[in-house]
Amino acid sequence: MKKDTKSQENIVRRYVRYLKLERNYSPNTLEAYQRDLGHLLAYCRAEGKALLDIQLEDLQHFAATIHELGIGPTSQARILSGIRSFYRFLLLDGFIENDPTELLESPHLGEHLPEVLTTAEVDQIEASIDLSKWEGHRNRAIIEVLFSCGLRVSELVMLKLSDLFLDEGYVRIFGKGSKERLVPISQRAIHELKLWFDDRNRMKIKPGEEDFVFLNRRGAHLTRVMIFIMLRKQAEEAGIKKVISPHTLRHSFATALLEGGADLRVIQAMLGHESIGTTEIYTHIDTTALREAIWSIIRGI
């Protein structure tokens, strides 16, 4: 495995040198291409696949994954363009015989919203988790925190022990642009976290990773792709037919708040949205209700 890793690192170095010397790309462009390729490398690590073994169906799944992780349409298109460039290089340099990106299409994005899970369905997923496995309580805590706090998956993987105020019943979240917000956490989520902490306290944790709430078996913090894959597999085991992702739990959280009568501005604050229009997208509020809410804010009511 180490040999394969070194081989892949060598290929990536040769690709970057090709972009720099033969394509004469600027430092900023080089950094962007490396960042885009980094998404695929993370996916390959999570799936246990090698770059040279990737097929079209793998790339189609990768494209769906970055969409479900909440990466915007423009960024998705750029990432896939960078991946196509990489595999064209592999073909030209003789690393592969066929280009798997030839038939790779950009996903149909539009205004598609993820599925919504009911509380019963979330319970069903959690109940399907095998608690005899070392990661059992961790995965239940992940799902419960995502659902009860409405976090972005990027916020969850960066959640620190020092951001938990469980006795007071809230967590501190650093969202987009490092903007801080305080989010209430349910007693059930607190209970699941404490069960996970019992297991976590027995782990050997990597230096520098001690403050992260959720860790992998090697004692390092999780990645967004790892969370996506775990949740997808757990939903399948639970018999959930809906196509879900971590974002589905965030969307379900917002929808449950709305159906429970929560004020639009409260939902906006809980989700960390700058624009009330973004909150409208998450919560299915019709245009009339949104207009009335905006006018209420403008009037200071």
Side-chain angles (χ1 to χ4, degrees):
M1 185 67 183
K2 289 183 178 179
K3 183 178 180 181
D4 291 341
T5 301
K6 288 183 178 179
S7 176
Q8 288 194 168
E9 291 174 352
N10 181 54
I11 290 172
V12 172
R13 281 196 297 269
R14 290 181 62 170
Y15 173 58
V16 173
R17 188 162 61 244
Y18 158 78
L19 294 177
K20 182 179 181 180
L21 300 179
E22 296 190 36
R23 301 301 298 272
N24 198 30
Y25 284 160
S26 69
N28 286 341
T29 302
L30 283 173
E31 183 180 348
Y33 272 86
Q34 288 177 270
R35 188 167 55 246
D36 295 340
L37 184 56
H39 288 286
L40 182 62
L41 289 169
Y43 172 82
C44 287
R45 284 193 296 270
E47 290 286 323
K49 292 181 177 293
L51 282 171
L52 300 184
D53 296 332
I54 289 292
Q55 301 297 315
L56 174 61
E57 61 181 19
D58 299 311
L59 292 173
Q60 289 170 334
H61 181 226
F62 168 73
T65 300
I66 60 175
H67 172 51
E68 292 294 346
L69 286 173
I71 295 175
T74 302
S75 296
Q76 288 181 52
R78 190 202 65 238
I79 290 170
L80 294 180
S81 175
I83 299 306
R84 290 187 182 94
S85 170
F86 175 67
Y87 278 98
R88 281 195 296 270
F89 160 76
L90 294 182
L91 185 66
L92 288 171
D93 259 36
F95 287 105
I96 56 176
E97 294 182 0
N98 298 294
D99 182 358
T101 68
E102 274 188 341
L103 300 177
L104 180 64
E105 297 180 359
S106 296
H108 300 290
L109 303 175
E111 290 296 323
H112 174 70
L113 288 171
E115 296 273 13
V116 176
L117 291 172
T118 64
T119 301
E121 287 173 325
V122 175
D123 290 343
Q124 186 178 336
I125 294 173
E126 291 181 2
S128 71
I129 295 174
D130 185 352
L131 296 181
S132 68
K133 294 182 178 179
W134 81 269
E135 73 272 20
H137 285 299
R138 183 203 67 183
N139 291 350
R140 282 186 67 153
I142 287 172
I143 292 171
E144 193 59 38
V145 170
L146 281 171
F147 180 62
S148 73
C149 298
L151 304 187
R152 300 177 177 95
V153 67
S154 57
E155 295 168 345
L156 181 98
V157 298
M158 297 305 293
L159 188 62
K160 307 287 184 64
L161 295 174
S162 54
D163 295 325
L164 303 181
F165 301 88
L166 301 185
D167 291 339
E168 293 81 4
Y170 70 88
V171 295
R172 179 174 56 197
I173 302 300
F174 294 93
K176 291 184 176 180
S178 297
K179 291 189 176 180
E180 179 182 335
R181 71 183 190 278
L182 301 179
V183 179
I185 183 170
S186 70
Q187 286 301 312
R188 181 166 173 176
I190 291 173
H191 174 71
E192 296 296 346
L193 278 172
K194 288 181 177 179
L195 291 176
W196 155 237
F197 291 155
D198 288 341
D199 296 333
R200 186 185 183 281
N201 290 337
R202 294 191 289 270
M203 293 180 64
K204 183 179 180 180
I205 301 174
K206 284 188 174 183
E209 304 285 295
E210 296 89 351
D211 199 24
F212 287 98
V213 173
F214 296 111
L215 304 171
N216 60 28
R217 65 176 65 247
R218 295 180 297 278
H221 70 278
L222 300 174
T223 66
R224 298 189 304 171
V225 174
M226 289 176 185
I227 301 291
F228 174 89
I229 293 173
M230 178 277 289
L231 184 57
R232 185 195 65 202
K233 290 181 177 177
Q234 202 59 57
E236 290 175 356
E237 289 185 17
I240 301 295
K241 302 302 181 183
K242 297 175 180 178
V243 179
I244 71 168
S245 70
H247 187 68
T248 311
L249 292 172
R250 176 170 161 85
H251 184 62
S252 303
F253 162 81
T255 303
L257 283 180
L258 181 68
E259 292 176 348
D263 184 89
L264 184 64
R265 287 164 291 185
V266 172
I267 300 173
Q268 179 185 359
M270 294 274 280
L271 293 174
H273 288 159
E274 288 189 19
S275 167
I276 200 169
T278 306
T279 311
E280 182 270 335
I281 293 173
Y282 276 96
T283 55
H284 304 294
I285 298 173
D286 61 45
T287 306
T288 303
L290 175 63
R291 189 181 302 116
E292 290 175 356
I294 293 174
W295 274 112
S296 295
I297 294 173
I298 292 173
R299 298 190 191 104
I301 298 175

